[in-house]
Amino acid sequence: MPDLSVAIVAGLHADARRAAVAQLLHDVPGSVVLHHDLATAAAGTVVRTVRDATGILDAGETPLVNDCACCALREDLVPELRRLAAAGQVRLAVVELWDSVEPKAMAEVITAGGLTVTAVIAAVDPSLLLPYLGNGDDLAETGLAAAATDQRTVADTFARQLEYAPVLAVLDSPNADDEDRELLGQLHPTARQVPVGGADLPRNRSTQTGHDAPTNPAPLLRGDRAIPAPPPRDDPANPARTSADAATPPTPNPPGARGTARPAPTDPHPAHNPNHPPPPRSPNASPPPHPNPAPPPRSVLAHAALAGFDVEAAAAAQHPACALLPVEADAHGVSTLVWHRRRPFHPERLYAALEDITCAAARSRGRFWLADKPDSLLHWDAAGGALCVESAGPWLASLPDAAWELVPAVRRAAAALDWHPEHGDCCQHLVFTSPGLDRDGLELLLESCLLTDTEYAAGRSAWKRIPSAFDTLLEI
């Protein structure tokens, strides 16, 4: 089977995603876009399209699998990519994910299918960062869930899309200011940012997902300026929507709003993008042949799409034990606080403060340590006023020496860099990023949740007798 490069483009910001896809089609000779429209799931099918820079080349439907649109996407994605590879006429297959599909799962599915993922790109409109990070609505409430079991929110889905991708396609938005751009940089400081959406980029119907760009409704107000509101919610009288329409976060919950804590949601890998696409130009047309060798790509984004991607390294970078978390920063009104301590939390005091801690920042994540569960590494993941906590396995310090060989090398290396002579890798390592962050107040609140000197001196056997407060959240 001929080599085929696969670039994944993901993101809830539909305009930014379309601009990134259009630029790749324009700048990479021999490229096509494969897209699965999960919004048609209500009719029992997922609509698949393949298009190039001139328009639709092929379209078809695949039935739901176990009443799940995302499962259908998983089942259909690799065979379609294999078909494109076997044709030998495509240099780059751009997989444009439906709005709320998370790229991590799809990258792993494609790689497991024997294909080569050369890039994962998250498309972002900087002016919409806060509205989406502050949106604690469930995906099901916004029409973005593709399975009945999907319990994710708009905010946490958007955050994971953003933080997984090593490349960010950043829309050249006139509504974005220095605060927006600084927030993006602090949320994902290691990402390569590539601007998209320039005036010279073709924006005709063939580069859209079946529809022209939508008009914006009334703007949201932030401070003394207006930013465009995300597209409107579903019209009950018209359940079919365009891809851009489905990228709509409802009323955001900014930092300071009342938050919630709940068990980490199971990700069924849903997504978004309504209405059936226009009829194919030719029902079973193959992509046209391209000269070989192909001419070089013509933009920074195109080079990034072909640069290469390490699925295992990307997964490790998201694991709470060895995640590449943001660093201390403070600029343009945006701050990142890195809070690191070597003393466990008192479970009851931390639980009582969860709402205030969760709502203190637009985004927070990391790992934490509870006194009553001293051997368990716990994952903290908060956005949109909602906190998800889950167990991420044992701390390495709690494992016998023989078990260390079973631990990935990247995790052993991360633990070694932060090893304490008494507690090993057990620690609090939480990172909070937000405009207007009250750093001093947040630090005082976090410190008040730690064990007191007397409680700490009592030792682990006494810690384990402290009443637990997190069993419900951890589903124990």
Side-chain angles (χ1 to χ4, degrees):
M1 184 171 63
D3 290 339
L4 174 69
S5 296
V6 180
I8 297 173
V9 179
L12 280 162
H13 294 171
D15 284 345
R17 194 179 66 241
R18 279 199 303 270
V21 169
Q23 184 161 318
L24 288 173
L25 285 178
H26 181 260
D27 291 347
V28 182
S31 61
V32 300
V33 175
L34 173 62
H35 177 70
H36 288 79
D37 182 352
L38 273 63
T40 59
T45 62
V46 170
V47 174
R48 174 208 325 116
T49 57
V50 178
R51 69 186 193 278
D52 65 7
T54 66
I56 299 290
L57 300 172
D58 188 21
E61 295 183 348
T62 184
L64 299 189
V65 176
N66 299 323
D67 292 324
C68 173
C70 258
C71 299
L73 165 59
R74 285 167 167 262
E75 293 287 330
D76 193 63
L77 182 58
V78 169
E80 279 301 305
L81 289 172
R82 285 183 172 276
R83 182 182 68 81
L84 292 173
Q89 300 167 328
V90 176
R91 180 185 186 191
L92 174 68
V94 179
V95 175
E96 182 189 357
L97 296 180
W98 195 69
D99 294 332
S100 62
V101 174
E102 295 185 27
K104 180 178 183 293
M106 296 303 109
E108 292 170 354
V109 165
I110 293 169
T111 302
L115 295 153
T116 302
V117 176
T118 55
V120 172
I121 300 167
V124 185
D125 180 344
S127 70
L128 296 179
L129 278 174
L130 271 182
Y132 278 72
L133 280 177
N135 188 339
D137 287 348
D138 290 339
L139 292 175
E141 297 174 13
T142 62
L144 297 177
T149 57
D150 190 1
Q151 297 178 334
R152 297 174 300 154
T153 68
V154 172
D156 62 43
T157 302
F158 173 67
R160 283 192 296 271
Q161 288 176 338
L162 179 73
E163 292 156 2
Y164 179 76
V167 178
L168 302 181
V170 183
L171 187 67
D172 183 14
S173 170
N175 299 298
D177 61 11
D178 288 342
E179 179 184 286
D180 298 321
R181 287 182 281 270
E182 181 65 28
L183 178 58
L184 181 60
Q186 290 190 28
L187 286 170
H188 197 346
T190 63
R192 180 182 186 183
Q193 294 191 25
V194 181
V196 296
D200 59 337
L201 184 67
R203 298 280 295 180
N204 58 36
R205 197 174 181 87
S206 67
T207 64
Q208 309 279 329
T209 311
H211 294 274
D212 293 317
T215 57
N216 286 328
L220 297 171
L221 294 177
R222 185 194 303 168
D224 58 355
R225 65 190 181 88
I227 63 172
R233 298 188 186 214
D234 283 307
D235 181 352
N238 180 19
R241 300 179 299 162
T242 67
S243 177
D245 290 335
T248 307
T251 305
N253 300 320
R258 308 319 293 165
T260 58
R262 60 184 186 182
T266 300
D267 176 14
H269 315 294
H272 158 308
N273 191 319
N275 279 8
H276 287 258
R281 191 177 57 209
S282 176
N284 296 304
S286 298
H290 296 280
N292 192 16
R298 297 177 288 198
S299 71
V300 175
L301 185 66
H303 280 286
L306 296 165
F309 181 78
D310 187 329
V311 172
E312 290 186 5
Q318 300 305 305
H319 191 282
C322 46
L324 295 177
L325 296 173
V327 296
E328 284 276 346
D330 189 1
H332 299 293
V334 181
S335 294
T336 293
L337 169 66
V338 178
W339 192 75
H340 190 275
R341 295 294 185 272
R342 291 291 184 178
R343 183 174 294 199
F345 280 124
H346 188 287
E348 291 179 316
R349 289 200 294 272
L350 177 62
Y351 190 85
L354 281 183
E355 192 171 331
D356 290 332
I357 297 172
T358 299
C359 293
R363 175 69 170 144
S364 58
R365 54 191 176 120
R367 55 190 180 271
F368 68 107
W369 184 24
L370 286 178
D372 64 314
K373 297 175 176 58
D375 296 331
S376 297
L377 188 161
L378 301 174
H379 183 201
W380 177 288
D381 186 60
L387 169 68
C388 295
V389 298
E390 61 182 334
S391 174
W395 296 102
L396 294 193
S398 68
L399 296 177
D401 292 344
W404 278 55
E405 294 301 318
L406 304 176
V407 176
V410 65
R411 182 172 176 190
R412 296 199 304 269
L417 290 172
D418 193 30
W419 195 261
H420 186 272
E422 181 181 358
H423 301 304
D425 57 334
C426 302
C427 68
Q428 318 291 355
H429 189 170
L430 299 175
V431 177
F432 301 82
T433 299
S434 187
L437 186 68
D438 179 5
R439 299 169 65 96
D440 293 340
L442 179 56
E443 286 196 81
L444 286 172
L445 180 58
L446 291 166
E447 298 285 351
S448 72
C449 298
L450 295 173
L451 294 185
T452 64
D453 290 345
T454 301
E455 292 166 339
Y456 178 75
R460 288 192 171 223
S461 59
W463 300 351
K464 292 181 179 180
R465 293 195 295 270
I466 298 175
S468 178
F470 279 78
D471 286 354
T472 301
L473 287 180
L474 294 172
E475 297 183 330
I476 296 176

